Amino acid sequence: MTPVAAANPQTVAILGATGAVGQELLALLKERAFPIKELRLLASPRSAGALLPWQGQNLEVQPVSAAALQGVDLLLASAGGSVSRQWAPLAVEQGAVVIDNSSAFRLDPEVPLVVPEVNPQAALQHKGIIANPNCTTILLSLVLAPLAARRPLKRVIVSTYQSASGAGARAMEELRELSSTVLAGGEPVSEVLPYSLAFNLFLHNSALQANGYCEEELKMLNETRKIMGLSNLCLSATCVRVPVLRAHSEAVNLEFEQPFPVQEARELLAAAPGLELIEDFAANRFPMPSDVTGRDAVAVGRIRQDLSNPNALELWLCGDQIRKGAALNAIQIAELLQGIGR
Amino acid sequence: MTPVAAANPQTVAILGATGAVGQELLALLKERAFPIKELRLLASPRSAGALLPWQGQNLEVQPVSAAALQGVDLLLASAGGSVSRQWAPLAVEQGAVVIDNSSAFRLDPEVPLVVPEVNPQAALQHKGIIANPNCTTILLSLVLAPLAARRPLKRVIVSTYQSASGAGARAMEELRELSSTVLAGGEPVSEVLPYSLAFNLFLHNSALQANGYCEEELKMLNETRKIMGLSNLCLSATCVRVPVLRAHSEAVNLEFEQPFPVQEARELLAAAPGLELIEDFAANRFPMPSDVTGRDAVAVGRIRQDLSNPNALELWLCGDQIRKGAALNAIQIAELLQGIGR
């Protein structure tokens, strides 16, 4: 595959248009006035046929096919790993650049894994496919990057508080339905998620590896290393699904090679792109999912010296999982390719 | 104050009988057939007057007073720190042993801070007051103790997922009400908790100290040190309130002085008193709040070698906040004094 120039995309397709991320991609293309000649909405045959509003008309979601991908300049894929593995290479062969939200290509050494605020230069090295990282990893990398640029980062210990949206629109709906069931005194029985999330929580149910970590936790390790170009970074994650609709939170312990003054870290984070400092110690007010829902910025706060290690900091972050954790990051990559990054 | 023998308590009083913990104390006294001649239910004047069922009759909750405490052998206090500071010393002067669920006396060097599975011997050294630890600390100590007894424990990093019950029965009710509001499309406005917990979460809102930690987090540090007799233990906590009704969860990273084989840790925890191993890697099944709600055992699982440190383990625990996190632990202390500990 030869590098494909992405300048001036004319025809944009969303694969997985009916999903939670697909719908957000559509909203962001409009909101950010992304330059589009033609927009195609694609999905698996099962989800095709739906009508979605675009520029005053209703666009019908088409089943994905080689023909439907012909002439596509930019494919925004968000329909899962197996769908991406099937269609992304074909789209590239036919001349498209693919920004893929699945995990299919993220660790492929030929595929850049990009968070525009962190490693924008990587996007320009693509050979047709650019991978959009895991949602928790994107949010975390925004906080790690400005600090690691100042002092060598050694080890990260992170516990996540992940919303239902990470499991898709149907999981969000199930959380609402089963919460109603519990409030009415009934017994919640889950069908989308493995267990009821209504007033409950559970360790992330992605496949477990022999080392006892789940895939989601290892994505945080491996993807963070790749995005930040720190192949020896130590990171241990515990990923937890919580009864929140669409924003993830993370409790992060950061160990550096040497002490990192809290005020310096605070100033770096407050000035970093994509981040918003929400930190009012007098009012005991720090980031919450409700602060970031539907918003672009990732909120960070309660930065403090770790009492248990002179070289470590503790902090807390929240970000919209569908937006910066997925759709916004993909659109920002597309803007980067267009030279219209903000 | 001279040590007060606690053998054979005849008259038991619950101070704070109408609260979430008070009600659970009442249920546990019955369930465990605690030997009682007379039971008195006490509360602040505001909460007095309520009728609670006990042994086929309705007992009226009396306003706490010196007279109401006369003749009490065992006072189970769970009405907050200021109430305990006011009444516990008087109850002791009048001959009672006080098991206090507030934070008022926990760090007093004259007052034992007891988790019966961990430091039962401390209870017998009391001078009238025995403190019941913070709920997150009790749950954590059950897991730390058997491991620290095998190999020196160096540092703990813990992130909590704390239920509404930790803020009392009214906070639980508010979570239910505001969840209904959100499901109906309304805007949740909190009155009991500082922010709405409905499909939301926030850092624990206890008072912040100059070091950036909140009181709840520092309780975990200081109380764990005292219970375990490890005055130099390093511990950093991030405490988070989540939309769960009455069970706390904790993601725990444990660093030892040397490597701790996972299988050895698993066997120690599986055999430890008060703990239940819920750990099925084949079925991806680990502890959840719904597993422990209304139950005595603290569930632990997903014990794994920390990928980021050869001397560290990661694990996950859930425990009923009202039960082992508060009322059950207090009753177990009372049983210990009676020589009827199980």
Side-chain angles (χ1 to χ4, degrees), chain A residues 155 160-161 195 206 212 217 236-238 284 290 302 304 306 308 314, chain B residues 155 160-161 200 206 212 217 236-238 284-285 302 304 306 308 314:
Chain A
R155 182 187 184 212
T160 71
Y161 302 68
Y195 311 104
S206 50
E217 292 162 353
S236 181
T238 299
N284 210 329
S290 56
R302 195 108 94 75
R304 57 204 193 280
D306 179 347
S308 73
E314 292 267 19
Chain B
R155 181 187 183 212
T160 72
Y161 301 69
N200 194 32
S206 50
E217 292 162 353
S236 180
T238 299
N284 210 329
R285 183 68 172 85
R302 194 107 95 76
R304 58 203 193 279
D306 179 348
S308 73
E314 292 267 18

PDB file of all heavy atoms in Angstrom, chain A residues 155 160-161 195 206 212 217 236-238 284 290 302 304 306 308 314, chain B residues 155 160-161 200 206 212 217 236-238 284-285 302 304 306 308 314:
ATOM      1  N   ARG A 155       5.685   5.220  35.861  1.00  0.00           N
ATOM      2  CA  ARG A 155       4.658   4.213  36.153  1.00  0.00           C
ATOM      3  C   ARG A 155       3.312   4.888  36.382  1.00  0.00           C
ATOM      4  O   ARG A 155       3.246   5.937  37.024  1.00  0.00           O
ATOM      5  CB  ARG A 155       5.064   3.442  37.411  1.00  0.00           C
ATOM      6  CG  ARG A 155       4.119   2.322  37.839  1.00  0.00           C
ATOM      7  CD  ARG A 155       4.565   1.775  39.201  1.00  0.00           C
ATOM      8  NE  ARG A 155       3.768   0.648  39.635  1.00  0.00           N
ATOM      9  CZ  ARG A 155       3.502   0.377  40.929  1.00  0.00           C
ATOM     10  NH1 ARG A 155       3.998   1.150  41.889  1.00  0.00           N
ATOM     11  NH2 ARG A 155       2.773  -0.665  41.245  1.00  0.00           N
ATOM     12  N   THR A 160     -10.543   2.918  36.549  1.00  0.00           N
ATOM     13  CA  THR A 160     -11.520   3.635  35.738  1.00  0.00           C
ATOM     14  C   THR A 160     -12.937   3.485  36.282  1.00  0.00           C
ATOM     15  O   THR A 160     -13.252   2.545  37.028  1.00  0.00           O
ATOM     16  CB  THR A 160     -11.516   3.146  34.277  1.00  0.00           C
ATOM     17  OG1 THR A 160     -12.087   1.836  34.220  1.00  0.00           O
ATOM     18  CG2 THR A 160     -10.108   3.133  33.702  1.00  0.00           C
ATOM     19  N   TYR A 161     -13.758   4.425  35.895  1.00  0.00           N
ATOM     20  CA  TYR A 161     -15.180   4.470  36.222  1.00  0.00           C
ATOM     21  C   TYR A 161     -15.867   4.702  34.884  1.00  0.00           C
ATOM     22  O   TYR A 161     -16.087   5.836  34.478  1.00  0.00           O
ATOM     23  CB  TYR A 161     -15.447   5.626  37.204  1.00  0.00           C
ATOM     24  CG  TYR A 161     -14.662   5.538  38.514  1.00  0.00           C
ATOM     25  CD1 TYR A 161     -13.280   5.682  38.556  1.00  0.00           C
ATOM     26  CD2 TYR A 161     -15.327   5.311  39.718  1.00  0.00           C
ATOM     27  CE1 TYR A 161     -12.572   5.599  39.748  1.00  0.00           C
ATOM     28  CE2 TYR A 161     -14.623   5.224  40.926  1.00  0.00           C
ATOM     29  CZ  TYR A 161     -13.250   5.367  40.924  1.00  0.00           C
ATOM     30  OH  TYR A 161     -12.551   5.283  42.114  1.00  0.00           O
ATOM     31  N   TYR A 195     -24.131  -8.247  33.216  1.00  0.00           N
ATOM     32  CA  TYR A 195     -24.814  -8.138  34.504  1.00  0.00           C
ATOM     33  C   TYR A 195     -25.569  -6.811  34.518  1.00  0.00           C
ATOM     34  O   TYR A 195     -25.251  -5.900  33.759  1.00  0.00           O
ATOM     35  CB  TYR A 195     -23.809  -8.178  35.670  1.00  0.00           C
ATOM     36  CG  TYR A 195     -22.847  -9.325  35.554  1.00  0.00           C
ATOM     37  CD1 TYR A 195     -21.535  -9.109  35.135  1.00  0.00           C
ATOM     38  CD2 TYR A 195     -23.253 -10.633  35.814  1.00  0.00           C
ATOM     39  CE1 TYR A 195     -20.651 -10.170  34.974  1.00  0.00           C
ATOM     40  CE2 TYR A 195     -22.380 -11.695  35.653  1.00  0.00           C
ATOM     41  CZ  TYR A 195     -21.083 -11.458  35.241  1.00  0.00           C
ATOM     42  OH  TYR A 195     -20.213 -12.502  35.066  1.00  0.00           O
ATOM     43  N   SER A 206     -14.438  -7.332  29.183  1.00  0.00           N
ATOM     44  CA  SER A 206     -13.702  -7.773  27.991  1.00  0.00           C
ATOM     45  C   SER A 206     -12.891  -9.025  28.341  1.00  0.00           C
ATOM     46  O   SER A 206     -12.665  -9.331  29.514  1.00  0.00           O
ATOM     47  CB  SER A 206     -12.789  -6.644  27.485  1.00  0.00           C
ATOM     48  OG  SER A 206     -12.008  -6.117  28.527  1.00  0.00           O
ATOM     49  N   GLY A 212      -4.373 -12.290  33.996  1.00  0.00           N
ATOM     50  CA  GLY A 212      -5.410 -11.833  34.913  1.00  0.00           C
ATOM     51  C   GLY A 212      -5.981 -10.474  34.577  1.00  0.00           C
ATOM     52  O   GLY A 212      -6.957 -10.034  35.201  1.00  0.00           O
ATOM     53  N   GLU A 217      -7.997  -3.340  29.942  1.00  0.00           N
ATOM     54  CA  GLU A 217      -6.878  -2.885  30.777  1.00  0.00           C
ATOM     55  C   GLU A 217      -5.559  -2.936  30.003  1.00  0.00           C
ATOM     56  O   GLU A 217      -4.708  -2.036  30.143  1.00  0.00           O
ATOM     57  CB  GLU A 217      -6.806  -3.745  32.041  1.00  0.00           C
ATOM     58  CG  GLU A 217      -7.996  -3.498  32.970  1.00  0.00           C
ATOM     59  CD  GLU A 217      -8.246  -4.570  34.008  1.00  0.00           C
ATOM     60  OE1 GLU A 217      -7.580  -5.622  33.967  1.00  0.00           O
ATOM     61  OE2 GLU A 217      -9.126  -4.368  34.863  1.00  0.00           O
ATOM     62  N   SER A 236      -0.513  -0.093  35.095  1.00  0.00           N
ATOM     63  CA  SER A 236      -1.441  -1.127  35.551  1.00  0.00           C
ATOM     64  C   SER A 236      -2.816  -0.502  35.711  1.00  0.00           C
ATOM     65  O   SER A 236      -2.976   0.500  36.417  1.00  0.00           O
ATOM     66  CB  SER A 236      -0.965  -1.718  36.882  1.00  0.00           C
ATOM     67  OG  SER A 236      -1.851  -2.728  37.307  1.00  0.00           O
ATOM     68  N   ALA A 237      -3.808  -1.096  35.038  1.00  0.00           N
ATOM     69  CA  ALA A 237      -5.163  -0.527  35.054  1.00  0.00           C
ATOM     70  C   ALA A 237      -6.155  -1.513  35.653  1.00  0.00           C
ATOM     71  O   ALA A 237      -6.010  -2.730  35.503  1.00  0.00           O
ATOM     72  CB  ALA A 237      -5.597  -0.171  33.638  1.00  0.00           C
ATOM     73  N   THR A 238      -7.146  -0.968  36.340  1.00  0.00           N
ATOM     74  CA  THR A 238      -8.326  -1.736  36.732  1.00  0.00           C
ATOM     75  C   THR A 238      -9.515  -1.028  36.113  1.00  0.00           C
ATOM     76  O   THR A 238      -9.792   0.134  36.441  1.00  0.00           O
ATOM     77  CB  THR A 238      -8.478  -1.781  38.271  1.00  0.00           C
ATOM     78  OG1 THR A 238      -7.326  -2.417  38.829  1.00  0.00           O
ATOM     79  CG2 THR A 238      -9.726  -2.563  38.664  1.00  0.00           C
ATOM     80  N   ASN A 284     -14.654  22.467  47.343  1.00  0.00           N
ATOM     81  CA  ASN A 284     -14.661  21.001  47.223  1.00  0.00           C
ATOM     82  C   ASN A 284     -15.331  20.595  45.907  1.00  0.00           C
ATOM     83  O   ASN A 284     -16.244  19.764  45.859  1.00  0.00           O
ATOM     84  CB  ASN A 284     -15.398  20.368  48.418  1.00  0.00           C
ATOM     85  CG  ASN A 284     -14.857  18.976  48.761  1.00  0.00           C
ATOM     86  OD1 ASN A 284     -14.394  18.264  47.865  1.00  0.00           O
ATOM     87  ND2 ASN A 284     -14.912  18.600  50.025  1.00  0.00           N
ATOM     88  N   SER A 290     -21.161  14.633  34.953  1.00  0.00           N
ATOM     89  CA  SER A 290     -22.168  15.607  34.502  1.00  0.00           C
ATOM     90  C   SER A 290     -21.521  16.902  34.003  1.00  0.00           C
ATOM     91  O   SER A 290     -22.153  17.666  33.279  1.00  0.00           O
ATOM     92  CB  SER A 290     -23.160  15.912  35.633  1.00  0.00           C
ATOM     93  OG  SER A 290     -22.476  16.376  36.784  1.00  0.00           O
ATOM     94  N   ARG A 302      -8.128  17.937  41.284  1.00  0.00           N
ATOM     95  CA  ARG A 302      -7.631  17.330  42.534  1.00  0.00           C
ATOM     96  C   ARG A 302      -6.248  16.733  42.339  1.00  0.00           C
ATOM     97  O   ARG A 302      -5.971  15.590  42.729  1.00  0.00           O
ATOM     98  CB  ARG A 302      -8.599  16.296  43.083  1.00  0.00           C
ATOM     99  CG  ARG A 302      -8.232  15.979  44.541  1.00  0.00           C
ATOM    100  CD  ARG A 302      -9.205  16.535  45.522  1.00  0.00           C
ATOM    101  NE  ARG A 302     -10.202  15.563  45.860  1.00  0.00           N
ATOM    102  CZ  ARG A 302      -9.951  14.519  46.683  1.00  0.00           C
ATOM    103  NH1 ARG A 302      -8.775  14.385  47.262  1.00  0.00           N
ATOM    104  NH2 ARG A 302     -10.895  13.690  46.960  1.00  0.00           N
ATOM    105  N   ARG A 304      -2.683  16.220  43.369  1.00  0.00           N
ATOM    106  CA  ARG A 304      -2.064  16.303  44.687  1.00  0.00           C
ATOM    107  C   ARG A 304      -0.814  15.428  44.752  1.00  0.00           C
ATOM    108  O   ARG A 304      -0.688  14.464  43.996  1.00  0.00           O
ATOM    109  CB  ARG A 304      -3.055  15.894  45.792  1.00  0.00           C
ATOM    110  CG  ARG A 304      -3.642  14.503  45.651  1.00  0.00           C
ATOM    111  CD  ARG A 304      -4.992  14.419  46.395  1.00  0.00           C
ATOM    112  NE  ARG A 304      -5.469  13.058  46.575  1.00  0.00           N
ATOM    113  CZ  ARG A 304      -6.087  12.347  45.644  1.00  0.00           C
ATOM    114  NH1 ARG A 304      -6.291  12.831  44.431  1.00  0.00           N
ATOM    115  NH2 ARG A 304      -6.511  11.119  45.906  1.00  0.00           N
ATOM    116  N   ASP A 306       1.262  12.592  45.953  1.00  0.00           N
ATOM    117  CA  ASP A 306       0.978  11.283  46.542  1.00  0.00           C
ATOM    118  C   ASP A 306       1.676  11.192  47.891  1.00  0.00           C
ATOM    119  O   ASP A 306       2.896  11.322  47.974  1.00  0.00           O
ATOM    120  CB  ASP A 306       1.477  10.191  45.581  1.00  0.00           C
ATOM    121  CG  ASP A 306       1.250   8.783  46.117  1.00  0.00           C
ATOM    122  OD1 ASP A 306       0.933   8.626  47.317  1.00  0.00           O
ATOM    123  OD2 ASP A 306       1.402   7.846  45.321  1.00  0.00           O
ATOM    124  N   SER A 308       2.177   8.661  49.540  1.00  0.00           N
ATOM    125  CA  SER A 308       2.865   7.386  49.722  1.00  0.00           C
ATOM    126  C   SER A 308       4.153   7.271  48.909  1.00  0.00           C
ATOM    127  O   SER A 308       4.836   6.249  48.979  1.00  0.00           O
ATOM    128  CB  SER A 308       1.930   6.227  49.362  1.00  0.00           C
ATOM    129  OG  SER A 308       1.732   6.133  47.967  1.00  0.00           O
ATOM    130  N   GLU A 314      -1.185  12.251  42.386  1.00  0.00           N
ATOM    131  CA  GLU A 314      -2.513  11.677  42.198  1.00  0.00           C
ATOM    132  C   GLU A 314      -3.365  12.716  41.478  1.00  0.00           C
ATOM    133  O   GLU A 314      -3.231  13.920  41.731  1.00  0.00           O
ATOM    134  CB  GLU A 314      -3.172  11.374  43.563  1.00  0.00           C
ATOM    135  CG  GLU A 314      -2.531  10.260  44.359  1.00  0.00           C
ATOM    136  CD  GLU A 314      -3.179   8.895  44.099  1.00  0.00           C
ATOM    137  OE1 GLU A 314      -3.864   8.736  43.064  1.00  0.00           O
ATOM    138  OE2 GLU A 314      -2.986   7.997  44.936  1.00  0.00           O
TER     139      GLU A 314
ATOM    140  N   ARG B 155       3.217  -0.477  50.579  1.00  0.00           N
ATOM    141  CA  ARG B 155       2.464   0.669  50.046  1.00  0.00           C
ATOM    142  C   ARG B 155       1.158   0.180  49.449  1.00  0.00           C
ATOM    143  O   ARG B 155       1.113  -0.851  48.785  1.00  0.00           O
ATOM    144  CB  ARG B 155       3.303   1.338  48.964  1.00  0.00           C
ATOM    145  CG  ARG B 155       2.679   2.579  48.317  1.00  0.00           C
ATOM    146  CD  ARG B 155       3.547   3.032  47.137  1.00  0.00           C
ATOM    147  NE  ARG B 155       3.057   4.245  46.513  1.00  0.00           N
ATOM    148  CZ  ARG B 155       3.190   4.515  45.208  1.00  0.00           C
ATOM    149  NH1 ARG B 155       3.820   3.664  44.414  1.00  0.00           N
ATOM    150  NH2 ARG B 155       2.720   5.635  44.704  1.00  0.00           N
ATOM    151  N   THR B 160     -11.716   4.016  45.539  1.00  0.00           N
ATOM    152  CA  THR B 160     -12.972   3.468  46.046  1.00  0.00           C
ATOM    153  C   THR B 160     -14.150   3.793  45.131  1.00  0.00           C
ATOM    154  O   THR B 160     -14.111   4.756  44.346  1.00  0.00           O
ATOM    155  CB  THR B 160     -13.302   3.985  47.463  1.00  0.00           C
ATOM    156  OG1 THR B 160     -13.681   5.371  47.378  1.00  0.00           O
ATOM    157  CG2 THR B 160     -12.122   3.824  48.395  1.00  0.00           C
ATOM    158  N   TYR B 161     -15.162   2.967  45.267  1.00  0.00           N
ATOM    159  CA  TYR B 161     -16.439   3.116  44.560  1.00  0.00           C
ATOM    160  C   TYR B 161     -17.492   3.013  45.662  1.00  0.00           C
ATOM    161  O   TYR B 161     -17.976   1.931  45.967  1.00  0.00           O
ATOM    162  CB  TYR B 161     -16.584   1.993  43.517  1.00  0.00           C
ATOM    163  CG  TYR B 161     -15.469   1.949  42.472  1.00  0.00           C
ATOM    164  CD1 TYR B 161     -14.169   1.594  42.808  1.00  0.00           C
ATOM    165  CD2 TYR B 161     -15.725   2.271  41.141  1.00  0.00           C
ATOM    166  CE1 TYR B 161     -13.159   1.567  41.860  1.00  0.00           C
ATOM    167  CE2 TYR B 161     -14.721   2.239  40.180  1.00  0.00           C
ATOM    168  CZ  TYR B 161     -13.431   1.886  40.549  1.00  0.00           C
ATOM    169  OH  TYR B 161     -12.432   1.855  39.598  1.00  0.00           O
ATOM    170  N   ASN B 200     -24.422   9.624  37.876  1.00  0.00           N
ATOM    171  CA  ASN B 200     -23.295  10.545  38.021  1.00  0.00           C
ATOM    172  C   ASN B 200     -22.440  10.026  39.177  1.00  0.00           C
ATOM    173  O   ASN B 200     -22.834   9.112  39.907  1.00  0.00           O
ATOM    174  CB  ASN B 200     -23.837  11.952  38.325  1.00  0.00           C
ATOM    175  CG  ASN B 200     -22.799  13.045  38.157  1.00  0.00           C
ATOM    176  OD1 ASN B 200     -21.889  12.955  37.319  1.00  0.00           O
ATOM    177  ND2 ASN B 200     -22.912  14.084  38.962  1.00  0.00           N
ATOM    178  N   SER B 206     -16.013  14.847  51.756  1.00  0.00           N
ATOM    179  CA  SER B 206     -15.582  15.208  53.111  1.00  0.00           C
ATOM    180  C   SER B 206     -14.555  16.331  53.023  1.00  0.00           C
ATOM    181  O   SER B 206     -13.981  16.589  51.965  1.00  0.00           O
ATOM    182  CB  SER B 206     -15.008  13.979  53.828  1.00  0.00           C
ATOM    183  OG  SER B 206     -14.051  13.327  53.027  1.00  0.00           O
ATOM    184  N   GLY B 212      -4.439  18.289  49.973  1.00  0.00           N
ATOM    185  CA  GLY B 212      -5.240  17.968  48.803  1.00  0.00           C
ATOM    186  C   GLY B 212      -6.065  16.706  48.947  1.00  0.00           C
ATOM    187  O   GLY B 212      -6.889  16.400  48.082  1.00  0.00           O
ATOM    188  N   GLU B 217     -10.234  10.006  52.706  1.00  0.00           N
ATOM    189  CA  GLU B 217      -9.003   9.382  52.208  1.00  0.00           C
ATOM    190  C   GLU B 217      -7.952   9.256  53.308  1.00  0.00           C
ATOM    191  O   GLU B 217      -7.231   8.258  53.397  1.00  0.00           O
ATOM    192  CB  GLU B 217      -8.466  10.194  51.023  1.00  0.00           C
ATOM    193  CG  GLU B 217      -9.381  10.091  49.802  1.00  0.00           C
ATOM    194  CD  GLU B 217      -9.189  11.173  48.752  1.00  0.00           C
ATOM    195  OE1 GLU B 217      -8.419  12.128  48.994  1.00  0.00           O
ATOM    196  OE2 GLU B 217      -9.832  11.067  47.690  1.00  0.00           O
ATOM    197  N   SER B 236      -2.146   5.647  49.731  1.00  0.00           N
ATOM    198  CA  SER B 236      -2.764   6.798  49.064  1.00  0.00           C
ATOM    199  C   SER B 236      -4.105   6.357  48.524  1.00  0.00           C
ATOM    200  O   SER B 236      -4.204   5.376  47.781  1.00  0.00           O
ATOM    201  CB  SER B 236      -1.868   7.293  47.925  1.00  0.00           C
ATOM    202  OG  SER B 236      -2.467   8.414  47.291  1.00  0.00           O
ATOM    203  N   ALA B 237      -5.164   7.093  48.904  1.00  0.00           N
ATOM    204  CA  ALA B 237      -6.527   6.724  48.513  1.00  0.00           C
ATOM    205  C   ALA B 237      -7.176   7.827  47.683  1.00  0.00           C
ATOM    206  O   ALA B 237      -6.902   9.009  47.883  1.00  0.00           O
ATOM    207  CB  ALA B 237      -7.377   6.462  49.757  1.00  0.00           C
ATOM    208  N   THR B 238      -8.004   7.408  46.744  1.00  0.00           N
ATOM    209  CA  THR B 238      -8.915   8.325  46.059  1.00  0.00           C
ATOM    210  C   THR B 238     -10.316   7.795  46.318  1.00  0.00           C
ATOM    211  O   THR B 238     -10.646   6.680  45.908  1.00  0.00           O
ATOM    212  CB  THR B 238      -8.637   8.364  44.544  1.00  0.00           C
ATOM    213  OG1 THR B 238      -7.301   8.825  44.328  1.00  0.00           O
ATOM    214  CG2 THR B 238      -9.610   9.300  43.845  1.00  0.00           C
ATOM    215  N   ASN B 284     -15.376 -14.966  33.652  1.00  0.00           N
ATOM    216  CA  ASN B 284     -15.225 -13.515  33.795  1.00  0.00           C
ATOM    217  C   ASN B 284     -16.159 -13.001  34.889  1.00  0.00           C
ATOM    218  O   ASN B 284     -16.930 -12.062  34.707  1.00  0.00           O
ATOM    219  CB  ASN B 284     -15.511 -12.812  32.461  1.00  0.00           C
ATOM    220  CG  ASN B 284     -14.713 -11.523  32.315  1.00  0.00           C
ATOM    221  OD1 ASN B 284     -14.430 -10.867  33.315  1.00  0.00           O
ATOM    222  ND2 ASN B 284     -14.368 -11.155  31.091  1.00  0.00           N
ATOM    223  N   ARG B 285     -16.074 -13.631  36.048  1.00  0.00           N
ATOM    224  CA  ARG B 285     -17.023 -13.342  37.123  1.00  0.00           C
ATOM    225  C   ARG B 285     -16.272 -13.001  38.402  1.00  0.00           C
ATOM    226  O   ARG B 285     -15.553 -13.836  38.956  1.00  0.00           O
ATOM    227  CB  ARG B 285     -17.909 -14.575  37.319  1.00  0.00           C
ATOM    228  CG  ARG B 285     -19.000 -14.411  38.357  1.00  0.00           C
ATOM    229  CD  ARG B 285     -20.041 -13.412  37.894  1.00  0.00           C
ATOM    230  NE  ARG B 285     -21.175 -13.414  38.822  1.00  0.00           N
ATOM    231  CZ  ARG B 285     -21.206 -12.686  39.947  1.00  0.00           C
ATOM    232  NH1 ARG B 285     -20.196 -11.903  40.278  1.00  0.00           N
ATOM    233  NH2 ARG B 285     -22.266 -12.739  40.729  1.00  0.00           N
ATOM    234  N   ARG B 302     -10.200 -11.278  41.370  1.00  0.00           N
ATOM    235  CA  ARG B 302      -9.316 -10.771  40.310  1.00  0.00           C
ATOM    236  C   ARG B 302      -7.958 -10.349  40.872  1.00  0.00           C
ATOM    237  O   ARG B 302      -7.436  -9.255  40.600  1.00  0.00           O
ATOM    238  CB  ARG B 302      -9.948  -9.602  39.543  1.00  0.00           C
ATOM    239  CG  ARG B 302      -9.149  -9.364  38.256  1.00  0.00           C
ATOM    240  CD  ARG B 302      -9.881  -9.813  37.011  1.00  0.00           C
ATOM    241  NE  ARG B 302     -10.588  -8.716  36.413  1.00  0.00           N
ATOM    242  CZ  ARG B 302      -9.997  -7.769  35.706  1.00  0.00           C
ATOM    243  NH1 ARG B 302      -8.709  -7.802  35.476  1.00  0.00           N
ATOM    244  NH2 ARG B 302     -10.722  -6.815  35.199  1.00  0.00           N
ATOM    245  N   ARG B 304      -4.213 -10.362  40.856  1.00  0.00           N
ATOM    246  CA  ARG B 304      -3.266 -10.554  39.757  1.00  0.00           C
ATOM    247  C   ARG B 304      -1.950  -9.866  40.063  1.00  0.00           C
ATOM    248  O   ARG B 304      -1.901  -8.917  40.850  1.00  0.00           O
ATOM    249  CB  ARG B 304      -3.861 -10.036  38.438  1.00  0.00           C
ATOM    250  CG  ARG B 304      -4.262  -8.567  38.444  1.00  0.00           C
ATOM    251  CD  ARG B 304      -5.323  -8.333  37.355  1.00  0.00           C
ATOM    252  NE  ARG B 304      -5.547  -6.909  37.079  1.00  0.00           N
ATOM    253  CZ  ARG B 304      -6.321  -6.102  37.822  1.00  0.00           C
ATOM    254  NH1 ARG B 304      -6.917  -6.546  38.920  1.00  0.00           N
ATOM    255  NH2 ARG B 304      -6.472  -4.836  37.481  1.00  0.00           N
ATOM    256  N   ASP B 306       0.755  -7.354  39.539  1.00  0.00           N
ATOM    257  CA  ASP B 306       0.817  -6.028  38.918  1.00  0.00           C
ATOM    258  C   ASP B 306       1.864  -6.058  37.804  1.00  0.00           C
ATOM    259  O   ASP B 306       3.039  -6.346  38.050  1.00  0.00           O
ATOM    260  CB  ASP B 306       1.178  -5.003  39.996  1.00  0.00           C
ATOM    261  CG  ASP B 306       1.301  -3.590  39.434  1.00  0.00           C
ATOM    262  OD1 ASP B 306       1.341  -3.420  38.199  1.00  0.00           O
ATOM    263  OD2 ASP B 306       1.369  -2.661  40.258  1.00  0.00           O
ATOM    264  N   SER B 308       3.138  -3.661  36.403  1.00  0.00           N
ATOM    265  CA  SER B 308       4.020  -2.493  36.444  1.00  0.00           C
ATOM    266  C   SER B 308       5.029  -2.545  37.583  1.00  0.00           C
ATOM    267  O   SER B 308       5.840  -1.631  37.726  1.00  0.00           O
ATOM    268  CB  SER B 308       3.187  -1.211  36.549  1.00  0.00           C
ATOM    269  OG  SER B 308       2.629  -1.074  37.838  1.00  0.00           O
ATOM    270  N   GLU B 314      -2.519  -6.616  42.307  1.00  0.00           N
ATOM    271  CA  GLU B 314      -3.751  -5.857  42.131  1.00  0.00           C
ATOM    272  C   GLU B 314      -4.899  -6.750  42.571  1.00  0.00           C
ATOM    273  O   GLU B 314      -4.869  -7.968  42.323  1.00  0.00           O
ATOM    274  CB  GLU B 314      -3.963  -5.495  40.648  1.00  0.00           C
ATOM    275  CG  GLU B 314      -2.982  -4.502  40.073  1.00  0.00           C
ATOM    276  CD  GLU B 314      -3.476  -3.060  40.172  1.00  0.00           C
ATOM    277  OE1 GLU B 314      -4.400  -2.789  40.983  1.00  0.00           O
ATOM    278  OE2 GLU B 314      -2.927  -2.205  39.454  1.00  0.00           O
TER     279      GLU B 314
END
